[in-house]
Amino acid sequence: MSVPTEAEAPSGGHPTPRQATTYEVGPLDRALDVLEKLAEAADMSLVELSAAVGMSKATVFRHLKVLARRGYVTQDPNTKRYSLGYRLLDLGFHARTNLQLPRVAHDAMAILSTSFNETVHLGVVMDNEVVHIAVIPSTHPLKMASEVGERTLVHVSALGKCLIAWEGPDALEALLAGPGLPAVSERTITTPAEFEAELARVRAQGFALDDQESLEGLRCVGAPVRAAGGAVVGAISLSGPVDRVSAARLPEITEAVRHAADQISRLCGWKR
């Protein structure tokens, strides 16, 4: 059955708009209430959720079971408290893509790439990996340029460090429980303590560095891209051989990468 959007014209007259119809699906509304309340806190107990959404514990429990089965909610086996699940990261990735973050970021990425003639990447995190969603390659014969859709380990990537640094302990725990911190070069950070210290540095300085951690001879500088509320929704990086992305040029390159990331963030609604 089709849903009418316009009334039929009365005899001898013109069409008149129908009164807007509000559609409600009670169980769906209640499930979304549960998710939205969980988004406001790190975790909540069944009792706390029940009080927050104004539903009985039995009703909330049924919703939580369905949401957990689908990966939208997770329960800590020790504390029995609930938090948002990683299936939402998948939805968030597709939402960001559909919101055309690559299009929004293109001009700033192009200026950055042209300024140094080095490869610029735009990435998001998905399933504990960095996914490249836009790439502007260098014109040098020797360059590093991933394909759009290519994935990279988080801990060896300047993009990955930016993307996870502000995500909180749950994201780091998921990373350690999943792919972990395997060595891919002699400089790769492979211990949780060292990686936590690295993420603290990233937060303090506002940018990340991959100093030959993913590949010998390659150096990358990355900075976070933020949305209106300040959440990190992506990251950009500039990558090149160490003789061109040299220690002497790092301050200049870092400032340019951060400036480009801030430009993109402002287009996403972020206000510093």
Side-chain angles (χ1 to χ4, degrees):
M1 181 177 68
S2 62
V3 178
T5 58
E6 187 177 66
E8 293 182 2
S11 177
H14 297 285
T16 57
R18 278 194 191 274
Q19 187 174 12
T21 303
T22 300
Y23 295 97
E24 294 184 1
V25 181
L28 178 57
D29 277 334
R30 290 192 289 272
L32 291 173
D33 286 342
V34 170
L35 286 176
E36 289 171 358
K37 285 299 178 183
L38 280 175
E40 295 174 4
D43 54 46
M44 298 180 77
S45 69
L46 177 60
V47 172
E48 290 168 342
L49 263 174
S50 175
V53 298
M55 289 185 270
S56 70
K57 288 190 292 183
T59 300
V60 174
F61 181 77
R62 288 195 296 270
H63 287 303
L64 287 169
K65 284 299 181 184
V66 174
L67 291 168
R69 176 169 55 81
R70 299 290 295 270
Y72 294 103
V73 165
T74 185
Q75 184 185 32
D76 187 303
N78 297 316
T79 66
K80 305 303 180 184
R81 296 175 70 84
Y82 295 89
S83 58
L84 296 179
Y86 285 93
R87 171 66 177 143
L88 290 167
L89 290 178
D90 188 19
L91 291 185
F93 166 74
H94 290 294
R96 287 193 294 268
T97 302
N98 291 340
L99 289 172
Q100 299 182 324
L101 182 56
R103 178 184 61 78
V104 171
H106 180 271
D107 288 352
M109 291 176 64
I111 292 171
L112 181 62
S113 180
T114 301
S115 298
F116 297 95
N117 193 15
E118 298 295 351
T119 298
V120 175
H121 292 93
L122 174 68
V124 297
V125 70
M126 179 179 178
D127 297 332
N128 291 317
E129 292 180 311
V130 177
V131 181
H132 298 103
I133 61 173
V135 181
I136 299 180
S138 165
T139 62
H140 287 295
L142 179 62
K143 61 192 172 191
M144 182 272 187
S146 302
E147 298 290 335
V148 171
E150 189 171 326
R151 294 176 177 239
T152 306
L153 292 169
V154 168
H155 71 296
V156 300
S157 163
L159 291 174
K161 292 176 185 179
C162 288
L163 290 165
I164 198 174
W166 284 271
E167 284 295 308
D170 286 350
L172 179 57
E173 288 175 13
L175 179 68
L176 296 175
L181 307 173
V184 295
S185 84
E186 291 185 356
R187 292 173 175 258
T188 302
I189 297 172
T190 57
T191 69
E194 287 179 307
F195 192 58
E196 284 189 79
E198 176 73 356
L199 296 181
R201 278 192 292 273
V202 172
R203 289 190 293 271
Q205 63 196 14
F207 68 92
L209 183 66
D210 162 14
D211 192 3
Q212 305 184 70
E213 296 158 51
S214 59
L215 182 68
E216 185 177 352
L218 176 72
R219 186 173 283 140
C220 308
V221 180
V225 173
R226 299 179 182 275
V232 174
V233 293
I236 64 166
S237 69
L238 182 144
S239 307
V242 292
D243 61 335
R244 299 201 305 256
V245 183
S246 62
R249 296 195 74 191
L250 270 181
E252 176 192 7
I253 291 172
T254 298
E255 180 61 28
V257 172
R258 294 185 66 183
H259 178 69
D262 286 351
Q263 283 186 309
I264 299 167
S265 298
R266 283 192 287 271
L267 291 173
C268 292
W270 179 63
K271 295 182 180 179
R272 196 168 189 171

